[in-house]
Amino acid sequence: MTSLAERLAVPRATTVFERMSALARETGSINLGQGFPDLPDPPELIAAAQRALAERSNQYPPMRGLAELRAGIAAFYAREQGQAIDPEKIVVTSGATEALAAALLALVAPRDEVILVQPCYDAYAPLVTRAGGTVRYVSLAPPHWTLDPAALAAALGPKTRGIVLNTPNNPVGTVLDRATLEAIGALCAAHDLWLVCDEVWEGMILDGTPHCSALDIPALAQRTVKIGSAGKIFSLTGWKVGWAVAAPPLAAAVAAQHQFLTFTTATPLQWAVAEGLALPPDWHRAHRQRYAAARAWLCDSLTAAGYCVLPASGTWFVTIDLAASGLPADDEAVAQRLIAEARVAAIPVSAFYAEQPERGFLRLCFAKDDVMLDEAAHRLAQFRS
């Protein structure tokens, strides 16, 4: 038994995003670290939210989400990805991180082992351990950040019960192809593993690479929880509207956890997201194109200044290979120097690792307006020279 004082004395580490954003504020730096857009909000979504506040209900919605939103999510996936999803398989949550929490609390039992793929979103491991599980890590192979299914197989132990994947990957932007997912599906079927697949960046694939969902793989269809995010699709990160999609028994288990985490999600925002998902494909293509143009401009500017920018298909981030750029392969040190000398904040990719980190890469967010990107590129070019 521990006392309250002992519990409160346990160090609570702040995330690298909080630390770098705080340094950016203190030094007046341009913040290309934290992943939130500075581009104008989509007016169609803002108008939809305003109408919902004034004309729709502001009371509790159904625990699993408005029927209209769940139907809208299913229709969006049918139109954009060719997926046939029953709305009954969808649980609307207060952001994708809550969907991850509900899924992992539903699936992880004490002393279960769960495989995470590095670099990875920093919430995965704490959520697994909060559920009583332990983590084993497998790493993507730079500079192309490929995932070897044989490495996943080698990491399996007698207590392994599941795998968490992220495609497109944050921080490096790579997309898992169908062949890789099929190999993972065969592995999960052979060992009776569940899969949580974080696909929140599926709406921000900017180079035309097709998105293959884990739910599209027959061997994974009955054992996967797919995580989605309206905040990423519409670049409205503060709305915190997400969802989990899974076969009925899995969806019921996720919903059972969700009802005691947040229970429901803001009703007017659910109505607004339902309207947004019904916008025509041309609207979604044009929305993505704003980010594709910003990425192309920053990549071209960095390349012209002598940086080596690695290829990536999705997310709002680009990755710099420091050694190939003629810089020290110490991402923490270079990130600190960028703030001190160039007044630009970036995120060291090593922060997305729990063990044996790759230290030669920096992540930059390009979801910023033209003026900010112009100035950031100018400062980064001066630093490089």
Side-chain angles (χ1 to χ4, degrees):
M1 298 289 289
T2 57
S3 69
L4 175 59
E6 290 170 322
R7 291 286 294 169
L8 296 178
V10 175
R12 299 307 199 261
T14 56
T15 68
V16 67
F17 313 105
E18 290 177 287
R19 295 197 303 272
M20 298 306 285
S21 292
L23 281 172
R25 290 191 297 271
E26 291 169 10
T27 59
S29 297
I30 295 173
N31 190 354
L32 301 189
Q34 196 165 7
F36 59 84
D38 283 326
L39 296 174
D41 294 331
E44 297 87 350
L45 273 293
I46 303 306
Q50 290 170 333
R51 284 194 301 274
L53 279 165
E55 301 170 11
R56 302 279 193 176
S57 172
N58 287 281
Q59 305 305 323
Y60 291 130
M63 182 268 289
R64 287 198 180 200
L66 290 172
E68 292 82 355
L69 175 54
R70 293 160 69 201
I73 293 166
F76 175 80
Y77 283 140
R79 187 173 64 249
E80 293 287 321
Q81 299 180 16
Q83 291 179 316
I85 294 174
D86 185 339
E88 292 302 309
K89 296 181 177 180
I90 299 168
V91 180
V92 176
T93 59
S94 295
T97 300
E98 197 240 315
L100 285 164
L104 292 170
L105 288 170
L107 293 169
V108 179
R111 294 176 293 281
D112 282 355
E113 287 184 351
V114 179
I115 294 176
L116 304 184
V117 179
Q118 302 180 123
C120 61
Y121 178 47
D122 61 355
Y124 298 157
L127 290 172
V128 170
T129 56
R130 178 61 59 87
T134 59
V135 175
R136 289 193 177 197
Y137 290 96
V138 171
S139 295
L140 300 177
H144 300 294
W145 307 103
T146 53
L147 175 60
D148 183 0
L152 283 175
L156 294 180
K159 295 182 180 180
T160 304
R161 297 293 178 266
I163 300 170
V164 179
L165 293 180
N166 179 204
T167 179
N169 177 273
N170 175 20
V172 295
T174 51
V175 174
L176 294 178
D177 60 21
R178 188 177 188 91
T180 300
L181 286 170
E182 286 176 342
I184 294 169
L187 189 68
C188 289
H191 296 274
D192 193 23
L193 306 178
W194 50 259
L195 178 73
V196 172
C197 199
D198 179 352
E199 302 180 21
V200 300
W201 294 101
E202 62 193 344
M204 278 291 148
I205 298 177
L206 305 177
D207 65 353
T209 298
H211 175 70
C212 182
S213 171
L215 291 179
D216 291 334
I217 308 302
L220 292 173
Q222 300 302 311
R223 60 180 69 246
T224 293
V225 179
K226 167 187 172 132
I227 308 297
S229 168
K232 299 300 191 295
I233 290 172
F234 297 111
S235 311
L236 295 166
T237 59
W239 280 24
K240 299 300 290 180
V241 178
W243 50 80
V245 187
L250 284 172
V254 171
Q257 296 297 324
H258 160 66
Q259 69 177 330
F260 296 120
L261 288 171
T262 62
F263 179 58
T264 58
T265 298
T267 309
L269 296 183
Q270 288 197 49
W271 284 112
V273 170
E275 279 198 41
L277 291 172
L279 290 167
D282 284 349
W283 185 94
H284 289 276
R285 279 192 291 271
H287 182 68
R288 286 192 294 271
Q289 183 54 38
R290 294 196 303 167
Y291 293 87
R295 183 184 70 164
W297 194 94
L298 182 60
C299 288
D300 289 347
S301 299
L302 292 172
T303 300
Y307 290 96
C308 176
V309 183
L310 298 181
S313 294
T315 75
W316 296 324
F317 312 109
V318 296
T319 305
I320 293 173
D321 185 327
L322 294 174
S325 302
L327 295 167
D330 183 340
D331 56 357
E332 282 272 3
V334 174
Q336 294 290 340
R337 283 188 58 196
L338 278 176
I339 285 184
E341 300 174 29
R343 296 291 191 267
V344 175
I347 298 292
V349 170
S350 62
F352 295 85
Y353 286 77
E355 59 185 37
Q356 299 180 319
E358 295 287 346
R359 297 198 176 277
F361 305 93
L362 275 184
R363 190 192 80 168
L364 299 172
C365 178
F366 57 77
K368 309 297 176 181
D369 65 34
D370 292 345
V371 173
M372 186 180 294
L373 280 184
D374 283 349
E375 180 60 24
H378 173 68
R379 295 182 189 186
L380 289 166
Q382 286 188 318
F383 177 83
R384 176 67 181 78
S385 64

